[in-house]
Amino acid sequence: MARRVPVSVLEAWSTAQYVNSQGQHARAARLFRQITSRVGEPVPGEQREIAYVRVRALVGYAQTQFELTGSLAASLETLDTAARWVETSRLPELELIVHGQRGLLLLRTGRAVESLAELDAAAVGQRDADPLDAAVLLLNRGSLHLELGNLERASADLAGAARYADDMGDQLLLSKAKHNLGYVEFLRGDLPTALRAMEEAEHGAPERHASVGLIDKAQVLIEAGLLSDADAALAEAREHLARNRMVRDVAEVELLRAQCLVGLRRYTEAQRQARAAAARFDRIGNGPWAARARVAELQARLAEDRSVGISAGVARRRAVRALALADVGVELGDAAGRGVTVPAQLLAVEWLLAATDLAGAREVLARVPRQLGRAALPLRLQHQAVSAQLAFAAGERGTALRAVRKGQRMLAEHREGLGSVDAVTASAVHGVRLGHVDVAAALRTGSAAALLDAVERGRATVAGSGRVRPPSDSRSAELLTAARQEIESARLLGANLSGEQLERRRAHLSEARRLQEAARRRAWQDGGGAATPTAVTARRLRRALSSANPSTVVADFVVADETLRVLRADSSGLSMIRLAPMAEVGERIRRARADLDVLSNVLIPAPMRAAARASLDRSLAWLDREVLAPIDAQGDLHIAARDLLLAVPWSSLPSRAGRRTWVNSWIDLQEATGERAKPDVVVVAGPGLRAAASEVVAVARTWERATVLAGDEATCAATVERLPSAAVVHLATHGRHETDNPLFSSLRLADGPLFAHELDGVDLRGAVVVLSACEAGLSTVRIGGEPLGLTSVLLRLGAAAVVSSVAPLRDDVAARVMPEFHGELRAGATPGDALATAVAQEDEPVPLVCFGPLTV
């Protein structure tokens, strides 16, 4: 009589399958072992369900063995036992299960070719197999094709897995297939679509084992340049993986974290993470991935070497180590060696250049393919940077510049596929090395024109907004409205809180931050489409200035070798001037801002105010003497600068009194149109400012017609609705710059803060925007050098000028200056001229700055 599987065994098998899918491998292993011992030895002709449960339990146990111990040999031995039981039981359709699991384990240990052979063998029995087994097989083979770069085959297999899963109603499996289809889009270069697919897959199965999904998402975020976000995702994934003893996946997290940390300039920590990953991969016998981890360690080492400098002898030894690793990649073959050979060769080239071995560097670079196909963007940019570095060193400037431009085109194409300002500015991190190579070579020429060209082509690559208008997203609007309400609830609790009230305030602000981050992540899923602006050249700039006001001077500030330099251009030519050490300039700027903070507080006692005023005057005089005087700008002055230099109250420097001064983070050269293309003037008064109502009334009266939003009408929605049609916008509100989260810098309106994030995509082309608010002109500089804040977002959206404050702005000062400014503007003055006239009569320095493009 044929044996039947006891109900208790079937229940145990079902439980084991479930806990294994949840990553609880130790518990699953115990259950799988118990099942195989209870079912006993195979008997020819016994019922299929007994053989099925036995084979499935062995296959499951093989997987848990690998997850817990990393031993491929032991897992394959278990699968050999399962294969013998399949043969004894005369059920060949179960071969799919054994072949499929063997292929998966080979894939996870880097043996891609052998893995594909096993999975193809398994696919022979796909039609006769259990739909679940067929779906898992296609999911795994699709993942392998992703590893091999066979995107069309991967897409076909994953779509097939999704169909099986959908038919079965298996939401977890469907989620995994959709997630991997998102990864296909990532490899095709469409990052927003990839993130959207991964997000949808995660929501489709909220109880899915999310850690592997976080690993994939982190890879997309790294490619996008959102390194801090990627690192946070990896930290979350590692906690879960380590708790469930998933050795291989923990190693992959450590490898990816090493790559993140190099970009975040945490080189020592990056090397430690890479070494840990290599050791784990070694323990599970995954040689290809161990080699990748060692490449990551060398990448961190090279980045550190660049920052501190090394001797030729040390560089040569490092190059030898990189070449040995490249040889390992060659031995692994095209598939397994991907991610090892070329990166190691490029590392070797750069170290050979540091050792001044140009011939050796050239010989190694010749081994690298000219086209890297679908390789990751950072690797392709590294290839161009190293090629340019070698050509510059060999005196082949034309060849070097072609490599630089090719790399910048790659970055521009990448950035054009992104949508949000957040993602566009983050992508600048990938161009840092290429820009450094370009600028360093230009400096060595001693040519001001060469340096200006190098600086501005790097800055223009990621300038401009990523899109004209974001897609309508009701969910994002809901998230931002909820965040606004949380912030208002925290504010209404008052200040100087303690105990329960303080905890409530913290809870409100914490929830607001969570909602803001959710809205920010959704914005990454929007595609772009806007063209990259054309970088200005020295020749084009001189030609434009020859037709401008003869007294106009352009000052393009550059920091190199810890020294501030300025490229001075006017109608007569271009020159380079070496200024003060940047550390000293930065200290003076910080002092000036601290003194402006004191002077903005009317409650500060008179003696302290007097001391702050004297200190401010000294700082501004020093900046005027050491930074502006060498430029000798007697008329209009346009400043292009980065970092702390964007926080200088330029119009308040003594030599700029009454003179037009305007600022931008790059030379955005535009032609003057002479007419306002939009009809409206919009004036908005936020709550909580004593003089805001009178300021708004006075500003509105200077214009023939103006739309005024005040009181309860001055809501965020009403304000944003009127922006696209406005030629002039004036906002008298409280402002707040968020240093750690600059896209959520805000202006306070009737229903709460209006975030910079929710302006992303609004068409402000040609508008003059006045932010009569504290610190609305400040920006936070991202790792790639891009400034991000309320003013920078408005400029990226096309504003012709943004007048904003780089320090706290007193109500009474704003009430006097702003009507004067608008009167000059209506009379036909440029925003820079209007601001210069409006602040000239003030007794104290006014921290308002006119930001905008260079219009001639």
Side-chain angles (χ1 to χ4, degrees), residues 427-457:
S427 68
V429 71
H430 294 312
V432 169
R433 182 58 189 160
L434 194 66
H436 284 172
V437 169
D438 194 13
V439 169
L443 267 173
R444 289 194 296 272
T445 68
S447 165
L451 184 56
L452 186 141
D453 288 354
V455 168
E456 290 304 317
R457 64 174 157 252

PDB file of all heavy atoms in Angstrom, residues 427-457:
ATOM      1  N   SER A 427      23.256  64.325  -9.282  1.00  0.00           N
ATOM      2  CA  SER A 427      24.052  63.660 -10.310  1.00  0.00           C
ATOM      3  C   SER A 427      25.398  64.335 -10.528  1.00  0.00           C
ATOM      4  O   SER A 427      26.309  63.738 -11.105  1.00  0.00           O
ATOM      5  CB  SER A 427      23.275  63.607 -11.632  1.00  0.00           C
ATOM      6  OG  SER A 427      23.126  64.910 -12.187  1.00  0.00           O
ATOM      7  N   ALA A 428      25.554  65.565 -10.059  1.00  0.00           N
ATOM      8  CA  ALA A 428      26.822  66.280 -10.229  1.00  0.00           C
ATOM      9  C   ALA A 428      27.985  65.547  -9.570  1.00  0.00           C
ATOM     10  O   ALA A 428      29.136  65.729  -9.968  1.00  0.00           O
ATOM     11  CB  ALA A 428      26.707  67.692  -9.655  1.00  0.00           C
ATOM     12  N   VAL A 429      27.706  64.714  -8.568  1.00  0.00           N
ATOM     13  CA  VAL A 429      28.777  64.012  -7.864  1.00  0.00           C
ATOM     14  C   VAL A 429      29.581  63.138  -8.813  1.00  0.00           C
ATOM     15  O   VAL A 429      30.790  62.945  -8.623  1.00  0.00           O
ATOM     16  CB  VAL A 429      28.207  63.183  -6.687  1.00  0.00           C
ATOM     17  CG1 VAL A 429      27.426  61.977  -7.188  1.00  0.00           C
ATOM     18  CG2 VAL A 429      29.308  62.748  -5.746  1.00  0.00           C
ATOM     19  N   HIS A 430      28.935  62.637  -9.862  1.00  0.00           N
ATOM     20  CA  HIS A 430      29.638  61.759 -10.798  1.00  0.00           C
ATOM     21  C   HIS A 430      30.631  62.514 -11.685  1.00  0.00           C
ATOM     22  O   HIS A 430      31.514  61.904 -12.272  1.00  0.00           O
ATOM     23  CB  HIS A 430      28.635  61.009 -11.672  1.00  0.00           C
ATOM     24  CG  HIS A 430      27.768  60.044 -10.923  1.00  0.00           C
ATOM     25  ND1 HIS A 430      28.287  59.140 -10.017  1.00  0.00           N
ATOM     26  CD2 HIS A 430      26.425  59.856 -10.923  1.00  0.00           C
ATOM     27  CE1 HIS A 430      27.294  58.424  -9.500  1.00  0.00           C
ATOM     28  NE2 HIS A 430      26.164  58.844 -10.029  1.00  0.00           N
ATOM     29  N   GLY A 431      30.444  63.820 -11.794  1.00  0.00           N
ATOM     30  CA  GLY A 431      31.342  64.594 -12.648  1.00  0.00           C
ATOM     31  C   GLY A 431      32.488  65.257 -11.915  1.00  0.00           C
ATOM     32  O   GLY A 431      33.284  65.969 -12.529  1.00  0.00           O
ATOM     33  N   VAL A 432      32.598  65.020 -10.595  1.00  0.00           N
ATOM     34  CA  VAL A 432      33.609  65.713  -9.799  1.00  0.00           C
ATOM     35  C   VAL A 432      35.023  65.407 -10.288  1.00  0.00           C
ATOM     36  O   VAL A 432      35.832  66.316 -10.512  1.00  0.00           O
ATOM     37  CB  VAL A 432      33.457  65.357  -8.305  1.00  0.00           C
ATOM     38  CG1 VAL A 432      34.659  65.857  -7.511  1.00  0.00           C
ATOM     39  CG2 VAL A 432      32.181  65.953  -7.742  1.00  0.00           C
ATOM     40  N   ARG A 433      35.338  64.135 -10.457  1.00  0.00           N
ATOM     41  CA  ARG A 433      36.694  63.775 -10.847  1.00  0.00           C
ATOM     42  C   ARG A 433      37.047  64.310 -12.234  1.00  0.00           C
ATOM     43  O   ARG A 433      38.137  64.823 -12.464  1.00  0.00           O
ATOM     44  CB  ARG A 433      36.868  62.256 -10.804  1.00  0.00           C
ATOM     45  CG  ARG A 433      38.278  61.774 -11.159  1.00  0.00           C
ATOM     46  CD  ARG A 433      39.312  62.367 -10.240  1.00  0.00           C
ATOM     47  NE  ARG A 433      40.673  62.103 -10.664  1.00  0.00           N
ATOM     48  CZ  ARG A 433      41.723  62.816 -10.265  1.00  0.00           C
ATOM     49  NH1 ARG A 433      41.574  63.822  -9.433  1.00  0.00           N
ATOM     50  NH2 ARG A 433      42.927  62.507 -10.690  1.00  0.00           N
ATOM     51  N   LEU A 434      36.109  64.182 -13.161  1.00  0.00           N
ATOM     52  CA  LEU A 434      36.330  64.684 -14.510  1.00  0.00           C
ATOM     53  C   LEU A 434      36.598  66.189 -14.476  1.00  0.00           C
ATOM     54  O   LEU A 434      37.512  66.692 -15.148  1.00  0.00           O
ATOM     55  CB  LEU A 434      35.104  64.381 -15.373  1.00  0.00           C
ATOM     56  CG  LEU A 434      35.244  64.515 -16.879  1.00  0.00           C
ATOM     57  CD1 LEU A 434      36.208  63.469 -17.430  1.00  0.00           C
ATOM     58  CD2 LEU A 434      33.875  64.374 -17.550  1.00  0.00           C
ATOM     59  N   GLY A 435      35.817  66.911 -13.663  1.00  0.00           N
ATOM     60  CA  GLY A 435      36.018  68.347 -13.541  1.00  0.00           C
ATOM     61  C   GLY A 435      37.354  68.705 -12.923  1.00  0.00           C
ATOM     62  O   GLY A 435      38.025  69.650 -13.360  1.00  0.00           O
ATOM     63  N   HIS A 436      37.770  67.947 -11.905  1.00  0.00           N
ATOM     64  CA  HIS A 436      39.056  68.215 -11.271  1.00  0.00           C
ATOM     65  C   HIS A 436      40.211  68.038 -12.253  1.00  0.00           C
ATOM     66  O   HIS A 436      41.154  68.837 -12.274  1.00  0.00           O
ATOM     67  CB  HIS A 436      39.246  67.288 -10.074  1.00  0.00           C
ATOM     68  CG  HIS A 436      38.447  67.690  -8.871  1.00  0.00           C
ATOM     69  ND1 HIS A 436      38.338  66.914  -7.735  1.00  0.00           N
ATOM     70  CD2 HIS A 436      37.692  68.783  -8.633  1.00  0.00           C
ATOM     71  CE1 HIS A 436      37.573  67.522  -6.859  1.00  0.00           C
ATOM     72  NE2 HIS A 436      37.161  68.655  -7.376  1.00  0.00           N
ATOM     73  N   VAL A 437      40.141  66.977 -13.051  1.00  0.00           N
ATOM     74  CA  VAL A 437      41.197  66.736 -14.043  1.00  0.00           C
ATOM     75  C   VAL A 437      41.253  67.894 -15.036  1.00  0.00           C
ATOM     76  O   VAL A 437      42.330  68.398 -15.381  1.00  0.00           O
ATOM     77  CB  VAL A 437      40.949  65.401 -14.773  1.00  0.00           C
ATOM     78  CG1 VAL A 437      41.869  65.256 -15.989  1.00  0.00           C
ATOM     79  CG2 VAL A 437      41.147  64.231 -13.817  1.00  0.00           C
ATOM     80  N   ASP A 438      40.086  68.320 -15.501  1.00  0.00           N
ATOM     81  CA  ASP A 438      39.994  69.406 -16.480  1.00  0.00           C
ATOM     82  C   ASP A 438      40.525  70.721 -15.911  1.00  0.00           C
ATOM     83  O   ASP A 438      41.350  71.409 -16.534  1.00  0.00           O
ATOM     84  CB  ASP A 438      38.535  69.549 -16.902  1.00  0.00           C
ATOM     85  CG  ASP A 438      38.341  70.403 -18.150  1.00  0.00           C
ATOM     86  OD1 ASP A 438      39.338  70.683 -18.845  1.00  0.00           O
ATOM     87  OD2 ASP A 438      37.188  70.781 -18.437  1.00  0.00           O
ATOM     88  N   VAL A 439      40.078  71.076 -14.718  1.00  0.00           N
ATOM     89  CA  VAL A 439      40.479  72.354 -14.110  1.00  0.00           C
ATOM     90  C   VAL A 439      41.964  72.344 -13.750  1.00  0.00           C
ATOM     91  O   VAL A 439      42.677  73.344 -13.963  1.00  0.00           O
ATOM     92  CB  VAL A 439      39.607  72.646 -12.872  1.00  0.00           C
ATOM     93  CG1 VAL A 439      40.170  73.820 -12.072  1.00  0.00           C
ATOM     94  CG2 VAL A 439      38.171  72.931 -13.299  1.00  0.00           C
ATOM     95  N   ALA A 440      42.462  71.236 -13.209  1.00  0.00           N
ATOM     96  CA  ALA A 440      43.880  71.155 -12.848  1.00  0.00           C
ATOM     97  C   ALA A 440      44.762  71.343 -14.074  1.00  0.00           C
ATOM     98  O   ALA A 440      45.789  72.041 -14.030  1.00  0.00           O
ATOM     99  CB  ALA A 440      44.184  69.821 -12.178  1.00  0.00           C
ATOM    100  N   ALA A 441      44.382  70.731 -15.200  1.00  0.00           N
ATOM    101  CA  ALA A 441      45.167  70.884 -16.426  1.00  0.00           C
ATOM    102  C   ALA A 441      45.103  72.318 -16.937  1.00  0.00           C
ATOM    103  O   ALA A 441      46.108  72.871 -17.408  1.00  0.00           O
ATOM    104  CB  ALA A 441      44.657  69.920 -17.493  1.00  0.00           C
ATOM    105  N   ALA A 442      43.918  72.943 -16.823  1.00  0.00           N
ATOM    106  CA  ALA A 442      43.797  74.336 -17.261  1.00  0.00           C
ATOM    107  C   ALA A 442      44.652  75.264 -16.406  1.00  0.00           C
ATOM    108  O   ALA A 442      45.280  76.203 -16.910  1.00  0.00           O
ATOM    109  CB  ALA A 442      42.326  74.758 -17.207  1.00  0.00           C
ATOM    110  N   LEU A 443      44.688  75.005 -15.105  1.00  0.00           N
ATOM    111  CA  LEU A 443      45.534  75.815 -14.214  1.00  0.00           C
ATOM    112  C   LEU A 443      46.999  75.733 -14.608  1.00  0.00           C
ATOM    113  O   LEU A 443      47.724  76.738 -14.571  1.00  0.00           O
ATOM    114  CB  LEU A 443      45.362  75.344 -12.766  1.00  0.00           C
ATOM    115  CG  LEU A 443      44.312  76.049 -11.916  1.00  0.00           C
ATOM    116  CD1 LEU A 443      44.169  75.337 -10.571  1.00  0.00           C
ATOM    117  CD2 LEU A 443      44.682  77.517 -11.698  1.00  0.00           C
ATOM    118  N   ARG A 444      47.425  74.537 -14.994  1.00  0.00           N
ATOM    119  CA  ARG A 444      48.843  74.367 -15.354  1.00  0.00           C
ATOM    120  C   ARG A 444      49.217  75.157 -16.602  1.00  0.00           C
ATOM    121  O   ARG A 444      50.378  75.500 -16.796  1.00  0.00           O
ATOM    122  CB  ARG A 444      49.153  72.877 -15.546  1.00  0.00           C
ATOM    123  CG  ARG A 444      49.158  72.074 -14.246  1.00  0.00           C
ATOM    124  CD  ARG A 444      49.795  70.702 -14.440  1.00  0.00           C
ATOM    125  NE  ARG A 444      49.050  69.855 -15.349  1.00  0.00           N
ATOM    126  CZ  ARG A 444      48.062  69.050 -14.975  1.00  0.00           C
ATOM    127  NH1 ARG A 444      47.695  68.987 -13.695  1.00  0.00           N
ATOM    128  NH2 ARG A 444      47.432  68.291 -15.869  1.00  0.00           N
ATOM    129  N   THR A 445      48.230  75.461 -17.451  1.00  0.00           N
ATOM    130  CA  THR A 445      48.544  76.246 -18.648  1.00  0.00           C
ATOM    131  C   THR A 445      48.807  77.709 -18.313  1.00  0.00           C
ATOM    132  O   THR A 445      49.433  78.420 -19.102  1.00  0.00           O
ATOM    133  CB  THR A 445      47.393  76.188 -19.669  1.00  0.00           C
ATOM    134  OG1 THR A 445      46.249  76.893 -19.140  1.00  0.00           O
ATOM    135  CG2 THR A 445      47.003  74.751 -19.986  1.00  0.00           C
ATOM    136  N   GLY A 446      48.292  78.171 -17.178  1.00  0.00           N
ATOM    137  CA  GLY A 446      48.421  79.581 -16.829  1.00  0.00           C
ATOM    138  C   GLY A 446      47.499  80.476 -17.623  1.00  0.00           C
ATOM    139  O   GLY A 446      47.549  81.702 -17.503  1.00  0.00           O
ATOM    140  N   SER A 447      46.599  79.888 -18.418  1.00  0.00           N
ATOM    141  CA  SER A 447      45.705  80.655 -19.280  1.00  0.00           C
ATOM    142  C   SER A 447      44.370  80.895 -18.590  1.00  0.00           C
ATOM    143  O   SER A 447      43.687  79.950 -18.193  1.00  0.00           O
ATOM    144  CB  SER A 447      45.480  79.904 -20.592  1.00  0.00           C
ATOM    145  OG  SER A 447      44.369  80.421 -21.296  1.00  0.00           O
ATOM    146  N   ALA A 448      43.990  82.172 -18.478  1.00  0.00           N
ATOM    147  CA  ALA A 448      42.704  82.497 -17.878  1.00  0.00           C
ATOM    148  C   ALA A 448      41.554  81.946 -18.727  1.00  0.00           C
ATOM    149  O   ALA A 448      40.554  81.456 -18.198  1.00  0.00           O
ATOM    150  CB  ALA A 448      42.569  84.008 -17.726  1.00  0.00           C
ATOM    151  N   ALA A 449      41.708  82.002 -20.049  1.00  0.00           N
ATOM    152  CA  ALA A 449      40.650  81.502 -20.931  1.00  0.00           C
ATOM    153  C   ALA A 449      40.469  79.997 -20.774  1.00  0.00           C
ATOM    154  O   ALA A 449      39.346  79.494 -20.710  1.00  0.00           O
ATOM    155  CB  ALA A 449      40.985  81.840 -22.388  1.00  0.00           C
ATOM    156  N   ALA A 450      41.580  79.266 -20.709  1.00  0.00           N
ATOM    157  CA  ALA A 450      41.492  77.812 -20.542  1.00  0.00           C
ATOM    158  C   ALA A 450      40.818  77.463 -19.222  1.00  0.00           C
ATOM    159  O   ALA A 450      40.006  76.533 -19.148  1.00  0.00           O
ATOM    160  CB  ALA A 450      42.882  77.190 -20.606  1.00  0.00           C
ATOM    161  N   LEU A 451      41.136  78.210 -18.159  1.00  0.00           N
ATOM    162  CA  LEU A 451      40.553  77.924 -16.857  1.00  0.00           C
ATOM    163  C   LEU A 451      39.064  78.240 -16.841  1.00  0.00           C
ATOM    164  O   LEU A 451      38.257  77.459 -16.315  1.00  0.00           O
ATOM    165  CB  LEU A 451      41.278  78.716 -15.770  1.00  0.00           C
ATOM    166  CG  LEU A 451      40.825  78.443 -14.332  1.00  0.00           C
ATOM    167  CD1 LEU A 451      40.939  76.960 -13.991  1.00  0.00           C
ATOM    168  CD2 LEU A 451      41.639  79.268 -13.343  1.00  0.00           C
ATOM    169  N   LEU A 452      38.665  79.375 -17.416  1.00  0.00           N
ATOM    170  CA  LEU A 452      37.241  79.716 -17.438  1.00  0.00           C
ATOM    171  C   LEU A 452      36.463  78.667 -18.230  1.00  0.00           C
ATOM    172  O   LEU A 452      35.386  78.224 -17.800  1.00  0.00           O
ATOM    173  CB  LEU A 452      37.044  81.099 -18.047  1.00  0.00           C
ATOM    174  CG  LEU A 452      35.594  81.616 -17.993  1.00  0.00           C
ATOM    175  CD1 LEU A 452      35.567  83.110 -17.680  1.00  0.00           C
ATOM    176  CD2 LEU A 452      34.845  81.353 -19.291  1.00  0.00           C
ATOM    177  N   ASP A 453      36.999  78.245 -19.375  1.00  0.00           N
ATOM    178  CA  ASP A 453      36.314  77.222 -20.168  1.00  0.00           C
ATOM    179  C   ASP A 453      36.131  75.937 -19.362  1.00  0.00           C
ATOM    180  O   ASP A 453      35.068  75.314 -19.384  1.00  0.00           O
ATOM    181  CB  ASP A 453      37.111  76.917 -21.438  1.00  0.00           C
ATOM    182  CG  ASP A 453      37.052  78.054 -22.458  1.00  0.00           C
ATOM    183  OD1 ASP A 453      36.302  79.020 -22.220  1.00  0.00           O
ATOM    184  OD2 ASP A 453      37.757  77.964 -23.471  1.00  0.00           O
ATOM    185  N   ALA A 454      37.190  75.513 -18.654  1.00  0.00           N
ATOM    186  CA  ALA A 454      37.129  74.269 -17.886  1.00  0.00           C
ATOM    187  C   ALA A 454      36.118  74.367 -16.754  1.00  0.00           C
ATOM    188  O   ALA A 454      35.309  73.455 -16.536  1.00  0.00           O
ATOM    189  CB  ALA A 454      38.514  73.933 -17.333  1.00  0.00           C
ATOM    190  N   VAL A 455      36.157  75.464 -16.018  1.00  0.00           N
ATOM    191  CA  VAL A 455      35.254  75.640 -14.878  1.00  0.00           C
ATOM    192  C   VAL A 455      33.802  75.661 -15.341  1.00  0.00           C
ATOM    193  O   VAL A 455      32.939  74.974 -14.787  1.00  0.00           O
ATOM    194  CB  VAL A 455      35.597  76.937 -14.118  1.00  0.00           C
ATOM    195  CG1 VAL A 455      34.492  77.294 -13.128  1.00  0.00           C
ATOM    196  CG2 VAL A 455      36.925  76.785 -13.386  1.00  0.00           C
ATOM    197  N   GLU A 456      33.521  76.447 -16.373  1.00  0.00           N
ATOM    198  CA  GLU A 456      32.129  76.627 -16.788  1.00  0.00           C
ATOM    199  C   GLU A 456      31.554  75.425 -17.529  1.00  0.00           C
ATOM    200  O   GLU A 456      30.363  75.152 -17.429  1.00  0.00           O
ATOM    201  CB  GLU A 456      32.000  77.896 -17.638  1.00  0.00           C
ATOM    202  CG  GLU A 456      32.182  79.167 -16.821  1.00  0.00           C
ATOM    203  CD  GLU A 456      31.209  79.250 -15.646  1.00  0.00           C
ATOM    204  OE1 GLU A 456      30.017  78.922 -15.821  1.00  0.00           O
ATOM    205  OE2 GLU A 456      31.649  79.643 -14.546  1.00  0.00           O
ATOM    206  N   ARG A 457      32.375  74.663 -18.256  1.00  0.00           N
ATOM    207  CA  ARG A 457      31.791  73.473 -18.893  1.00  0.00           C
ATOM    208  C   ARG A 457      31.428  72.425 -17.841  1.00  0.00           C
ATOM    209  O   ARG A 457      30.475  71.669 -18.009  1.00  0.00           O
ATOM    210  CB  ARG A 457      32.672  72.918 -19.996  1.00  0.00           C
ATOM    211  CG  ARG A 457      33.994  72.381 -19.650  1.00  0.00           C
ATOM    212  CD  ARG A 457      34.684  71.728 -20.870  1.00  0.00           C
ATOM    213  NE  ARG A 457      36.127  71.724 -20.649  1.00  0.00           N
ATOM    214  CZ  ARG A 457      36.980  72.498 -21.297  1.00  0.00           C
ATOM    215  NH1 ARG A 457      36.549  73.325 -22.226  1.00  0.00           N
ATOM    216  NH2 ARG A 457      38.264  72.459 -21.027  1.00  0.00           N
TER     217      ARG A 457
END
